[in-house]
Amino acid sequence: MFERRVVVRSGPSAGWRLRLMQGFELAQEGRGVPLPLTAQRVVALLAVVGRPLMREYVAGVLWPDSSETRANGSLRSALW
């Protein structure tokens, strides 16, 4: 089973923890951070890939059955 834990101990992201196996869990300094499902999908994709991605690519991966315009709009909504 694949599991990727992201724990940052120093810098601007210190204190954040992300768990993707057996459910999504994002926490800052031990406190859960609630996110809508669409935002969870964006965060999970970026964490698994582990590098910056173009917005158009992320939209296409997360909303493959939508038009480009609709997928980009869905990504904007998820990030908002």
Side-chain angles (χ1 to χ4, degrees):
M1 184 183 310
F2 174 79
E3 181 170 348
R4 182 169 193 169
R5 283 192 146 193
V6 179
V7 180
V8 181
R9 302 200 189 286
S10 63
S13 299
W16 287 89
R17 184 175 52 85
L18 175 62
R19 183 176 57 87
L20 299 176
M21 299 302 292
Q22 299 175 342
F24 182 94
E25 181 184 10
L26 178 63
Q28 182 185 27
E29 297 180 358
R31 289 185 301 264
V33 178
L35 289 178
L37 181 59
T38 53
Q40 290 178 19
R41 294 174 66 208
V42 174
V43 170
L45 175 63
L46 295 174
V48 168
V49 172
R51 63 182 173 82
L53 297 172
M54 299 290 291
R55 291 175 71 102
E56 294 80 12
Y57 177 80
V58 173
V61 167
L62 295 179
W63 292 277
D65 296 330
S66 298
S67 69
E68 184 177 341
T69 301
R70 177 88 176 180
N72 287 330
S74 295
L75 179 58
R76 272 194 310 278
S77 294
L79 295 174
W80 183 80

